[in-house]
Amino acid sequence: MQSSAAPNAIRTKKYQLEKNVFTGIALGKVWRKDWWMALIPFALFMLPAVFSFSWWWVAGAILVTLIFVLLRSAQVMGVTQMEQGNPLFEKLSYEIDSRQILLKRNDREGMALTWDMIGSVERKGEAYLLWLKPPTDAQLPGGWRGWLAKNFQAPVFVMLPFRIFNNPNDIKLLESMLRRKELIA
């Protein structure tokens, strides 16, 4: 764990993100952004039906598209099952200051997220979603594996519900901090 948070840091109550909440939000983000990818296998398998129509081509196109959608959704849901994703779903408290966000399991264990690791922030209902930046090209493998990793990555976020803050001033302070960092409009 890096250095402790500043004395004027925002300290929160402990919170545990439920896996089904994470899955719902992440799947919604993926399919809002990549819905058109499901059309590619459908169009490819419907192409032979243009030249020689058969209901088998239509059924095959629908089946392959359904398999693609299920595999892509399973990939996103796999984040909840991987060992590397476990820290997202533990009961944590947060200490937020102008340098970093400390995710603390207890007084001695935790990890730090610096503000440059956060790509964007979204206010969703009664919570802030801090979306982490995807890996850079230098961090990805080369060749076709790198292309797959870049185009089919699962979004990862930290959720900060308003109820974990100790008072409304902490929420206002966090929002002003996010505006200064240009993460929220």
Side-chain angles (χ1 to χ4, degrees), residues 4 25-26 53-54 63 67 71 85 93 100 106 111 143 161-162 164:
S4 64
I25 293 171
F53 184 79
S54 169
L63 182 66
I67 290 171
L71 285 175
S93 63
Q100 63 193 359
N106 55 41
M111 71 179 235
F162 293 166
I164 68 170

PDB file of all heavy atoms in Angstrom, residues 4 25-26 53-54 63 67 71 85 93 100 106 111 143 161-162 164:
ATOM      1  N   SER A   4      -0.253   6.907   3.197  1.00  0.00           N
ATOM      2  CA  SER A   4      -1.634   7.083   3.641  1.00  0.00           C
ATOM      3  C   SER A   4      -2.224   8.358   3.057  1.00  0.00           C
ATOM      4  O   SER A   4      -1.528   9.236   2.595  1.00  0.00           O
ATOM      5  CB  SER A   4      -1.685   7.120   5.163  1.00  0.00           C
ATOM      6  OG  SER A   4      -0.964   8.249   5.622  1.00  0.00           O
ATOM      7  N   ILE A  25     -24.207  -3.677 -14.970  1.00  0.00           N
ATOM      8  CA  ILE A  25     -23.685  -2.388 -15.436  1.00  0.00           C
ATOM      9  C   ILE A  25     -22.653  -2.600 -16.541  1.00  0.00           C
ATOM     10  O   ILE A  25     -22.665  -1.904 -17.566  1.00  0.00           O
ATOM     11  CB  ILE A  25     -23.095  -1.592 -14.259  1.00  0.00           C
ATOM     12  CG1 ILE A  25     -24.215  -1.184 -13.299  1.00  0.00           C
ATOM     13  CG2 ILE A  25     -22.350  -0.361 -14.751  1.00  0.00           C
ATOM     14  CD1 ILE A  25     -23.729  -0.582 -11.992  1.00  0.00           C
ATOM     15  N   ALA A  26     -21.742  -3.559 -16.359  1.00  0.00           N
ATOM     16  CA  ALA A  26     -20.700  -3.811 -17.359  1.00  0.00           C
ATOM     17  C   ALA A  26     -21.301  -4.322 -18.669  1.00  0.00           C
ATOM     18  O   ALA A  26     -20.892  -3.883 -19.755  1.00  0.00           O
ATOM     19  CB  ALA A  26     -19.670  -4.795 -16.821  1.00  0.00           C
ATOM     20  N   PHE A  53     -31.127 -18.718 -51.596  1.00  0.00           N
ATOM     21  CA  PHE A  53     -31.889 -18.637 -50.355  1.00  0.00           C
ATOM     22  C   PHE A  53     -32.247 -20.025 -49.833  1.00  0.00           C
ATOM     23  O   PHE A  53     -32.690 -20.898 -50.565  1.00  0.00           O
ATOM     24  CB  PHE A  53     -33.173 -17.820 -50.538  1.00  0.00           C
ATOM     25  CG  PHE A  53     -33.920 -17.652 -49.257  1.00  0.00           C
ATOM     26  CD1 PHE A  53     -33.519 -16.708 -48.337  1.00  0.00           C
ATOM     27  CD2 PHE A  53     -34.985 -18.482 -48.939  1.00  0.00           C
ATOM     28  CE1 PHE A  53     -34.191 -16.564 -47.132  1.00  0.00           C
ATOM     29  CE2 PHE A  53     -35.651 -18.345 -47.737  1.00  0.00           C
ATOM     30  CZ  PHE A  53     -35.252 -17.381 -46.834  1.00  0.00           C
ATOM     31  N   SER A  54     -32.028 -20.165 -48.541  1.00  0.00           N
ATOM     32  CA  SER A  54     -32.427 -21.371 -47.835  1.00  0.00           C
ATOM     33  C   SER A  54     -32.653 -20.970 -46.373  1.00  0.00           C
ATOM     34  O   SER A  54     -31.923 -20.147 -45.820  1.00  0.00           O
ATOM     35  CB  SER A  54     -31.334 -22.432 -47.929  1.00  0.00           C
ATOM     36  OG  SER A  54     -31.617 -23.489 -47.050  1.00  0.00           O
ATOM     37  N   LEU A  63     -28.182 -18.547 -35.283  1.00  0.00           N
ATOM     38  CA  LEU A  63     -27.494 -19.370 -34.286  1.00  0.00           C
ATOM     39  C   LEU A  63     -26.078 -18.850 -34.019  1.00  0.00           C
ATOM     40  O   LEU A  63     -25.669 -18.716 -32.864  1.00  0.00           O
ATOM     41  CB  LEU A  63     -27.446 -20.828 -34.746  1.00  0.00           C
ATOM     42  CG  LEU A  63     -26.789 -21.802 -33.784  1.00  0.00           C
ATOM     43  CD1 LEU A  63     -27.615 -21.910 -32.503  1.00  0.00           C
ATOM     44  CD2 LEU A  63     -26.636 -23.159 -34.436  1.00  0.00           C
ATOM     45  N   ILE A  67     -24.613 -17.298 -30.525  1.00  0.00           N
ATOM     46  CA  ILE A  67     -23.401 -17.828 -29.895  1.00  0.00           C
ATOM     47  C   ILE A  67     -22.407 -16.703 -29.648  1.00  0.00           C
ATOM     48  O   ILE A  67     -21.788 -16.632 -28.582  1.00  0.00           O
ATOM     49  CB  ILE A  67     -22.789 -18.961 -30.746  1.00  0.00           C
ATOM     50  CG1 ILE A  67     -23.685 -20.186 -30.686  1.00  0.00           C
ATOM     51  CG2 ILE A  67     -21.373 -19.293 -30.281  1.00  0.00           C
ATOM     52  CD1 ILE A  67     -23.302 -21.292 -31.654  1.00  0.00           C
ATOM     53  N   LEU A  71     -21.024 -15.638 -25.986  1.00  0.00           N
ATOM     54  CA  LEU A  71     -19.594 -15.673 -25.671  1.00  0.00           C
ATOM     55  C   LEU A  71     -19.085 -14.312 -25.199  1.00  0.00           C
ATOM     56  O   LEU A  71     -18.308 -14.224 -24.253  1.00  0.00           O
ATOM     57  CB  LEU A  71     -18.790 -16.159 -26.882  1.00  0.00           C
ATOM     58  CG  LEU A  71     -18.867 -17.641 -27.175  1.00  0.00           C
ATOM     59  CD1 LEU A  71     -18.136 -17.970 -28.473  1.00  0.00           C
ATOM     60  CD2 LEU A  71     -18.302 -18.450 -26.034  1.00  0.00           C
ATOM     61  N   GLY A  85      -9.961 -10.348 -10.324  1.00  0.00           N
ATOM     62  CA  GLY A  85     -11.103  -9.477 -10.112  1.00  0.00           C
ATOM     63  C   GLY A  85     -11.640  -9.500  -8.695  1.00  0.00           C
ATOM     64  O   GLY A  85     -12.514  -8.696  -8.349  1.00  0.00           O
ATOM     65  N   SER A  93     -13.300  -0.013   2.403  1.00  0.00           N
ATOM     66  CA  SER A  93     -13.578   1.397   2.674  1.00  0.00           C
ATOM     67  C   SER A  93     -12.638   2.195   1.769  1.00  0.00           C
ATOM     68  O   SER A  93     -11.621   1.687   1.297  1.00  0.00           O
ATOM     69  CB  SER A  93     -13.361   1.736   4.139  1.00  0.00           C
ATOM     70  OG  SER A  93     -12.011   1.540   4.497  1.00  0.00           O
ATOM     71  N   GLN A 100      -4.871  10.450  -4.786  1.00  0.00           N
ATOM     72  CA  GLN A 100      -5.194   9.055  -5.047  1.00  0.00           C
ATOM     73  C   GLN A 100      -6.489   8.649  -4.352  1.00  0.00           C
ATOM     74  O   GLN A 100      -7.043   9.394  -3.553  1.00  0.00           O
ATOM     75  CB  GLN A 100      -4.061   8.163  -4.548  1.00  0.00           C
ATOM     76  CG  GLN A 100      -3.875   8.251  -3.039  1.00  0.00           C
ATOM     77  CD  GLN A 100      -2.584   7.627  -2.561  1.00  0.00           C
ATOM     78  OE1 GLN A 100      -1.824   7.109  -3.352  1.00  0.00           O
ATOM     79  NE2 GLN A 100      -2.341   7.668  -1.271  1.00  0.00           N
ATOM     80  N   ASN A 106      -8.492  -3.213   5.383  1.00  0.00           N
ATOM     81  CA  ASN A 106      -8.435  -2.903   6.811  1.00  0.00           C
ATOM     82  C   ASN A 106      -7.384  -1.808   6.981  1.00  0.00           C
ATOM     83  O   ASN A 106      -6.938  -1.230   5.991  1.00  0.00           O
ATOM     84  CB  ASN A 106      -8.134  -4.160   7.653  1.00  0.00           C
ATOM     85  CG  ASN A 106      -6.868  -4.862   7.210  1.00  0.00           C
ATOM     86  OD1 ASN A 106      -5.871  -4.227   6.911  1.00  0.00           O
ATOM     87  ND2 ASN A 106      -6.921  -6.180   7.170  1.00  0.00           N
ATOM     88  N   MET A 111      -4.982  -0.999  -1.475  1.00  0.00           N
ATOM     89  CA  MET A 111      -4.245  -0.612  -2.673  1.00  0.00           C
ATOM     90  C   MET A 111      -4.654   0.789  -3.075  1.00  0.00           C
ATOM     91  O   MET A 111      -5.715   1.281  -2.685  1.00  0.00           O
ATOM     92  CB  MET A 111      -4.466  -1.594  -3.808  1.00  0.00           C
ATOM     93  CG  MET A 111      -5.832  -1.572  -4.433  1.00  0.00           C
ATOM     94  SD  MET A 111      -5.918  -2.751  -5.775  1.00  0.00           S
ATOM     95  CE  MET A 111      -6.444  -1.703  -7.092  1.00  0.00           C
ATOM     96  N   GLY A 143       0.495  -8.777 -32.072  1.00  0.00           N
ATOM     97  CA  GLY A 143      -0.202  -9.601 -33.062  1.00  0.00           C
ATOM     98  C   GLY A 143      -1.698  -9.677 -32.861  1.00  0.00           C
ATOM     99  O   GLY A 143      -2.332  -8.760 -32.349  1.00  0.00           O
ATOM    100  N   PRO A 161     -21.347   4.371  -4.070  1.00  0.00           N
ATOM    101  CA  PRO A 161     -22.717   4.815  -3.796  1.00  0.00           C
ATOM    102  C   PRO A 161     -22.720   5.968  -2.790  1.00  0.00           C
ATOM    103  O   PRO A 161     -21.843   6.054  -1.926  1.00  0.00           O
ATOM    104  CB  PRO A 161     -23.398   3.589  -3.203  1.00  0.00           C
ATOM    105  CG  PRO A 161     -22.417   2.491  -3.241  1.00  0.00           C
ATOM    106  CD  PRO A 161     -21.089   3.042  -3.582  1.00  0.00           C
ATOM    107  N   PHE A 162     -23.686   6.833  -2.903  1.00  0.00           N
ATOM    108  CA  PHE A 162     -23.768   7.999  -2.013  1.00  0.00           C
ATOM    109  C   PHE A 162     -23.947   7.587  -0.556  1.00  0.00           C
ATOM    110  O   PHE A 162     -23.522   8.293   0.345  1.00  0.00           O
ATOM    111  CB  PHE A 162     -24.900   8.923  -2.435  1.00  0.00           C
ATOM    112  CG  PHE A 162     -24.683   9.587  -3.773  1.00  0.00           C
ATOM    113  CD1 PHE A 162     -25.726  10.207  -4.414  1.00  0.00           C
ATOM    114  CD2 PHE A 162     -23.446   9.598  -4.391  1.00  0.00           C
ATOM    115  CE1 PHE A 162     -25.541  10.825  -5.641  1.00  0.00           C
ATOM    116  CE2 PHE A 162     -23.242  10.202  -5.612  1.00  0.00           C
ATOM    117  CZ  PHE A 162     -24.301  10.821  -6.240  1.00  0.00           C
ATOM    118  N   ILE A 164     -22.457   5.469   1.215  1.00  0.00           N
ATOM    119  CA  ILE A 164     -21.243   5.125   1.966  1.00  0.00           C
ATOM    120  C   ILE A 164     -20.522   6.362   2.478  1.00  0.00           C
ATOM    121  O   ILE A 164     -19.618   6.254   3.295  1.00  0.00           O
ATOM    122  CB  ILE A 164     -20.273   4.244   1.145  1.00  0.00           C
ATOM    123  CG1 ILE A 164     -19.671   5.007  -0.029  1.00  0.00           C
ATOM    124  CG2 ILE A 164     -20.951   2.978   0.704  1.00  0.00           C
ATOM    125  CD1 ILE A 164     -18.549   4.278  -0.728  1.00  0.00           C
TER     126      ILE A 164
END
